[in-house]
Amino acid sequence: MLIVKKFGGTSVADKERIMNVAKRCIRDYQEGNDVVVVLSAMGKQTDVLIDMAKDINPTPSKRELDMLLSTGEQTSVALMAMAMATFKIPAISLNAFQVAMHTTSAYGSARLKRIDTERIRHELDQRKIVIITGFQGVNKYDDVTTLGRGGSDTTAVALAAALHADTCEIFTDVDGVYTADPRIVKKARKLKEITYDEMLDLATLGAGVLHNRSVEMAKKYGVQLVVRSSLNEEEGTVVKEDVRVERMLVSGVAADRNVTRISLVGLKDVPGIAFKVFDVLGKANVNVDMILQSIGRHGTKDITFTVPGDASDDALGALEKNKDVLGYEELSINREVAKVSIVGAGMMSNPGVAAKMFEALYNSRININMISTSEIRVTVLIDVKEVDKAVNAIHDMFELED
Ligand code: ADP
Ligand code: ASP
Ligand code: MG
């Protein structure tokens, strides 16, 4: 079997944990499997590096930031190879350049385009454990890129797809995917299985346990994922196309604090305004999420929307630069908001699910700013200070507990 095993930051945070991971990988290797290991930076190292950068320069160039951040993963893989060597196991570490993992050129949010597998195959054929840096890639200028926070999951899934791996295991600091973040909701329940579609929505809506692109890619290439703990032997959660268990109405609640709300007040109520606003944002590479347009009155209207919190400065810059073209009277911004969402394939055929979520919020006296829905999810925008209370209230309302 060819096994891809990915370990997140907490799983390799110190010497003891690194040794623990080494042993786990060696076990599979000694059973005769080919083992490819993908690692994140140790502990909170990526945050430490970002702080170091911002201390020197509050607005570092994205290229140089990627150059810096990629060192975190490089540290982990080299130490892991050294750890395995202490057990007399042949192992080799490779960074994205050495593999070659080709990405688009967007620093900080690059997308994987193609992975060369020749070098990896060659090392596996020599019966080595191959340890690869997560999160990073190389663009057409031969510069280092990164895939966005949490991107090591995506590296692992992409490798599993490219190598036609038999399994792809994502090891983290919780036992699997839960009905809500177990750190916020004490009663959260571990899911045995979850579909790609539900997991993709949960991940996109803030359930940081998996990088959303990793789920997108797993679905596209049919890579079955197992999310489990590196600290124990619990079974974990399987992410796949179809699940056998009866569909729950709601399979999970997610929260995303990385949100900013922007309102453009006093726009002209004529055709083409929404196009202009979102075209400006699109060209500035800003993803817009929830959108609300008021009814036109006295020839003017307002448009309110949300953008990722870390893109809010880019959004502001673009909107202010184009103030004359867009013709708004006032721009207001609120960074103290968060999205809370419920996701479930069972929702499709059950009206009243949204009402039940709103009732839970009303019972907790939480005000809703904006609402958006799709077939399998409902999202509300609320005050960031109320997130924990909201998630728990909604979780209770749908009786998702253990
Ligand atoms: P890693 O460094 O291993 O990639 P992450 O911190 O990226 O770990 O992801 C694991 C964390 O995701 C957990 O510690 C947990 O707090 C959080 N999380 C958020 N939502 C969920 C969920 N629905 N199920 C499990 N964990 C979740
Ligand atoms: N080290 C990177 C981060 O902290 C990538 C990852 O952990 O997946 O975001
Ligand atoms: Mg992660």
Side-chain angles (χ1 to χ4, degrees):
M1 288 224 300
L2 197 161
I3 305 175
V4 173
K5 299 167 93 72
K6 179 259 169 179
F7 296 86
T10 21
S11 304
V12 292
D14 54 32
K15 178 181 166 189
E16 198 188 326
R17 298 252 170 102
I18 289 178
M19 288 314 214
N20 165 57
V21 167
K23 283 187 208 150
R24 261 189 117 126
C25 298
I26 289 170
R27 216 168 57 197
D28 286 330
Y29 172 83
Q30 287 179 329
E31 282 167 12
N33 302 298
D34 285 334
V35 181
V36 173
V37 183
V38 175
L39 300 182
S40 292
M42 292 170 68
K44 300 246 168 285
Q45 184 61 17
T46 307
D47 294 320
V48 171
L49 291 169
I50 292 174
D51 288 347
M52 279 171 74
K54 301 229 155 138
D55 188 36
I56 294 264
N57 179 342
T59 51
S61 105
K62 289 186 176 172
R63 179 194 181 277
E64 300 307 333
L65 194 58
D66 278 2
M67 189 72 174
L68 180 69
L69 296 193
S70 66
T71 64
E73 271 66 18
Q74 211 160 306
T75 305
S76 317
V77 294
L79 290 174
M80 186 60 69
M82 294 175 200
M84 288 181 183
T86 67
F87 298 102
K88 306 269 182 301
I89 299 293
I92 183 167
S93 66
L94 296 174
N95 66 16
F97 203 93
Q98 293 167 310
V99 167
M101 305 227 208
H102 304 274
T103 70
T104 58
S105 43
Y107 300 106
S109 58
R111 280 176 176 265
L112 283 166
K113 288 202 304 197
R114 182 169 56 86
I115 298 180
D116 298 339
T117 52
E118 202 177 306
R119 176 76 190 266
I120 302 173
R121 291 267 181 218
H122 173 75
E123 303 297 349
L124 290 173
D125 288 346
Q126 312 284 310
R127 276 303 283 154
K128 286 185 194 159
I129 296 182
V130 184
I131 310 159
I132 300 175
T133 49
F135 179 54
Q136 58 180 254
V138 181
N139 69 13
K140 64 180 174 200
Y141 310 110
D142 277 355
D143 282 342
V144 178
T145 55
T146 65
L147 310 181
R149 298 305 304 269
S152 298
D153 300 328
T154 301
T155 310
V157 174
L159 278 166
L163 294 164
H164 306 289
D166 297 283
T167 76
C168 181
E169 296 172 298
I170 308 286
F171 290 88
T172 181
D173 55 2
V174 286
D175 292 351
V177 179
Y178 280 71
T179 48
D181 187 339
R183 288 179 207 283
I184 300 180
V185 179
K186 293 292 165 241
K187 287 188 270 181
R189 178 169 47 84
K190 187 174 86 184
L191 299 164
K192 238 177 127 56
E193 305 177 320
I194 185 166
T195 64
Y196 290 127
D197 289 335
E198 289 171 302
M199 190 63 236
L200 182 57
D201 269 356
L202 281 177
T204 307
L205 296 165
V209 63
L210 283 177
H211 192 229
N212 63 348
R213 289 216 194 118
S214 73
V215 186
E216 209 172 73
M217 196 171 290
K219 180 180 163 73
K220 184 167 169 194
Y221 295 102
V223 176
Q224 187 165 306
L225 296 179
V226 183
V227 180
R228 52 192 300 198
S229 169
S230 65
L231 307 169
N232 62 45
E233 302 284 333
E234 296 289 321
E235 257 181 30
T237 304
V238 181
V239 188
K240 54 187 196 172
E241 188 63 46
D242 275 317
V243 301
R244 268 178 291 113
V245 287
E246 202 185 325
R247 284 257 161 90
M248 297 283 293
L249 207 52
V250 170
S251 34
V253 187
D256 185 356
R257 292 173 177 78
N258 179 32
V259 184
T260 293
R261 189 187 68 190
I262 297 177
S263 295
L264 298 177
V265 181
L267 289 159
K268 277 210 192 71
D269 190 17
V270 294
I273 293 295
F275 161 64
K276 281 188 198 156
V277 170
F278 297 114
D279 188 47
V280 160
L281 292 165
K283 289 192 172 127
N285 247 325
V286 176
N287 277 321
V288 176
D289 183 25
M290 302 169 94
I291 300 176
L292 188 76
Q293 177 175 303
S294 70
I295 293 175
R297 249 191 228 131
H298 313 303
T300 68
K301 66 187 172 191
D302 307 336
I303 295 182
T304 301
F305 52 88
T306 62
V307 299
D310 48 19
S312 57
D313 288 340
D314 288 348
L316 269 187
L319 292 168
E320 277 165 2
K321 207 172 94 197
N322 290 282
K323 184 166 196 279
D324 293 343
V325 189
L326 303 174
Y328 55 87
E329 281 160 19
E330 200 188 309
L331 184 159
S332 75
I333 180 158
N334 186 348
R335 297 175 200 266
E336 301 301 309
V337 290
K339 281 188 296 190
V340 172
S341 309
I342 53 172
V343 171
M347 239 181 255
M348 241 183 299
S349 44
N350 277 283
V353 176
K356 213 168 152 185
M357 177 183 188
F358 303 154
E359 186 185 349
L361 293 168
Y362 167 63
N363 290 341
S364 303
R365 298 294 177 269
I366 294 169
N367 193 39
I368 301 173
N369 274 308
M370 288 172 90
I371 299 170
S372 81
T373 63
S374 82
E375 272 189 325
I376 67 163
R377 73 171 173 87
V378 182
T379 300
V380 295
L381 192 77
I382 62 169
D383 189 320
V384 71
K385 288 193 286 298
E386 316 241 63
V387 167
D388 290 8
K389 193 163 80 173
V391 173
N392 275 287
I394 295 165
H395 198 269
D396 279 349
M397 185 57 119
F398 288 99
E399 297 177 350
L400 301 175
E401 69 261 29
D402 248 331

